[in-house]
Amino acid sequence: KNEVEQSPQNLTAQEGEFITINCSYSVGISALHWLQQHPGGGIVSLFMLSSGKKKHGRLIATINIQEKHSSLHITASHPRDSAVYICAVREDGGSQGNLIFGKGTKLSVKP
Amino acid sequence: DAGVIQSPRHEVTEMGQEVTLRCKPISGHDYLFWYRQTMMRGLELLIYFNNNVPIDDSGMPEDRFSAKMPNASFSTLKIQPSEPRDSAVYFCASSRTGGAKNIQYFGAGTRLSVL
C-alpha cells in the first residue's frame, strides 16, 4: 500500500512557468516534509509543515490537514530547479524516525 | 559545520563480500538515521538511533544487515554477505531533538553496486 502518493511522477516545464507538485497521504500525521534531491543525489530539506502555508523564496508549500493533501509550488521556475521533489510524512504519535516517503516527482525545467 | 559525512561515496563489490558504510552525524545531533534509496521503492528507513541506542530497526531487510553506533559521532551500516539486490544509494541523516522543527540533514549518500 502507498500511504504517501505524489503526482505527477514526472513533470517537464519551460523556464518561467508556475509549477505545482501534489502530495496526498492516507494516515494521520503530525508533520509533513518536502525534500529536494539534486541530480547529483544530495538531499536537502525544504520545508516542514504541520498546518497552513510556508514560503521560502520562489517556493511555497501548503497543507490541508482535513483533506490530507499538500502542494509544493515553484514560481518563475528556472532550470536550476530541476530535481526530484520528495514528500514525507510523520505519522501521528510517531517519533522522529517514523517518516513515510513518497516516490518523488522528477521535475525538469527547460531553458 | 561540515554537515553529515558519509564514506565511501561509491562502493563496488562482488557478491558475497562484506560491505561497511560509514557516517559521521552533525555534532550535537542526537538522532541518526540510515536510509536506502532504489528506483523501485524510493527512500526507505532502515534503522534509526537516539543517543546512540537503536530505536527502530524494523526496516532492516534481513539479518545480513547490521548497524552500530559506538559513539555520538560515528555509525556504521554493514552488509554481510552482500547480494546484487543490495545495490542502492544508502543515505545517513541526523537531527536534533527540538531543533529546527526536527528537520533531518542528509549526507551525500553512498552508491553501492554489488556485482
Side-chain angles (χ1 to χ4, degrees):
Chain A
K1 62 175 180 178
N2 294 322
E3 292 160 311
V4 180
E5 295 274 3
Q6 289 187 233
S7 63
Q9 286 187 327
N10 293 281
L11 180 57
T12 300
Q14 286 298 127
E15 183 172 356
E17 285 184 1
F18 180 84
I19 288 162
T20 296
I21 298 170
N22 296 299
C23 176
S24 296
Y25 51 91
S26 58
V27 296
I29 70 167
S30 58
L32 181 144
H33 296 252
W34 281 103
L35 309 171
Q36 179 191 53
Q37 186 167 26
H38 299 288
I43 296 176
V44 174
S45 178
L46 296 176
F47 295 104
M48 196 211 74
L49 296 163
S50 53
S51 65
K53 174 172 135 177
K54 286 190 176 178
K55 184 176 189 290
H56 181 70
R58 295 180 294 105
L59 301 177
I60 303 167
T62 64
I63 188 168
N64 185 317
I65 296 295
Q66 287 73 30
E67 295 186 2
K68 295 188 174 177
H69 181 268
S70 175
S71 293
L72 177 68
H73 305 285
I74 305 175
T75 61
S77 60
H78 189 275
R80 65 174 175 265
D81 297 326
S82 299
V84 176
Y85 292 84
I86 301 169
C87 172
V89 302
R90 178 167 293 117
E91 282 192 81
D92 261 338
S95 68
Q96 289 216 33
N98 291 342
L99 280 183
I100 306 169
F101 293 87
K103 293 284 178 64
T105 294
K106 184 174 182 179
L107 171 65
S108 297
V109 182
K110 307 293 185 187
Chain B
D1 198 322
V4 176
I5 299 172
Q6 290 187 246
S7 63
R9 289 295 309 276
H10 303 273
E11 177 78 51
V12 180
T13 191
E14 291 185 342
M15 183 173 65
Q17 296 297 307
E18 177 180 297
V19 175
T20 299
L21 311 181
R22 297 173 175 79
C23 175
K24 177 177 166 46
I26 292 173
S27 177
H29 282 194
D30 55 342
Y31 281 86
L32 183 139
F33 309 85
W34 281 103
Y35 294 97
R36 178 173 67 176
Q37 185 179 39
T38 61
M39 289 290 291
M40 290 294 293
R41 301 171 68 92
L43 267 169
E44 302 172 282
L45 176 68
L46 298 177
I47 185 172
Y48 77 96
F49 296 82
N50 179 221
N51 292 322
N52 312 338
V53 177
I55 303 301
D56 184 352
D57 65 354
S58 59
M60 297 284 263
E62 298 171 35
D63 290 345
R64 298 184 296 107
F65 285 69
S66 62
K68 294 182 180 179
M69 192 165 185
N71 57 61
S73 59
F74 183 67
S75 177
T76 59
L77 177 68
K78 186 175 292 187
I79 309 172
Q80 166 63 19
S82 58
E83 296 183 3
R85 60 194 167 117
D86 302 330
S87 298
V89 180
Y90 291 80
F91 287 98
C92 176
S94 70
S95 68
R96 181 168 62 88
T97 302
K101 302 293 186 181
N102 298 329
I103 285 177
Q104 295 183 16
Y105 295 82
F106 284 76
T110 295
R111 183 174 296 275
L112 173 65
S113 297
V114 183
L115 307 177

